[in-house]
């Protein structure tokens, strides 16, 4: 699978995970598959989310964007920063929990 296809699959996988893990956000974005659920806020839930994000970050690191078009390189950078920020956010929330 070409690098760009790997990247697009990673973005899709992260999005689906976020919808499942944050049902209220899913509903806000128009995805009503999880309307009957609430997101978990236990220490275990936060640790699970941090682990998932770290997994996504590791998957991103093995993708080489050197041959990407400029817009795709920008998307790669934005997604990388997004994952970093989400990881820091969840770690901070866990520490204050």
């Amino acid at each position: 699978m070409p690098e760009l296809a790997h990247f697009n699959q990673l973005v899709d996988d992260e999005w689906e995970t976020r919808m499942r893990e944050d049902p209220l956000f899913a509903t806000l974005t128009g995805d009503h598959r999880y309307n009957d659920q609430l997101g978990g806020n236990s220490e275990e839930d936060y640790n699970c989310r941090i682990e998932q994000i770290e997994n996504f970050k590791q998957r991103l690191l093995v993708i080489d964007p050197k041959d990407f078009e400029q817009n795709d390189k920008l998307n790669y950078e934005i997604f990388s920063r997004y994952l970093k920020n989400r990881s820091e956010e969840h770690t901070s929330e866990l520490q204050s929990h």
Side-chain angles (χ1 to χ4, degrees):
M1 183 183 296
E3 296 294 292
L4 185 57
H6 281 288
F7 175 67
N8 288 333
Q9 184 62 57
L10 174 59
V11 171
D12 289 344
D13 292 348
E14 191 280 333
W15 181 258
E16 285 301 316
T17 298
R18 183 155 187 213
M19 296 299 101
R20 187 176 57 253
E21 292 294 319
D22 191 348
L24 297 176
F25 179 75
T27 300
L28 284 173
T29 63
D31 185 340
H32 299 286
R33 292 176 292 166
Y34 307 102
N35 281 358
D36 63 337
Q37 301 173 31
L38 292 173
N41 288 315
S42 70
E43 184 174 334
E44 183 179 332
D45 293 322
Y46 279 100
N47 283 327
C48 181
R49 287 186 196 110
I50 291 168
E51 184 178 316
Q52 289 169 338
I53 293 167
E54 291 305 315
N55 177 282
F56 290 130
K57 287 167 61 176
Q58 290 303 311
R59 286 176 58 191
L60 184 66
L61 288 176
V62 300
I63 298 171
D64 185 357
K66 73 176 172 30
D67 293 328
F68 285 8
E69 298 290 329
Q70 194 61 35
N71 284 344
D72 295 320
K73 286 180 182 179
L74 180 59
N75 288 335
Y76 181 96
E77 268 306 306
I78 291 169
F79 190 67
S80 177
R81 290 180 190 182
Y82 162 78
L83 290 176
K84 179 180 179 287
N85 290 342
R86 295 263 303 149
S87 180
E88 291 172 357
E89 172 188 319
H90 284 300
T91 300
S92 175
E93 289 173 359
L94 179 61
Q95 292 171 349
S96 67
H97 212 133

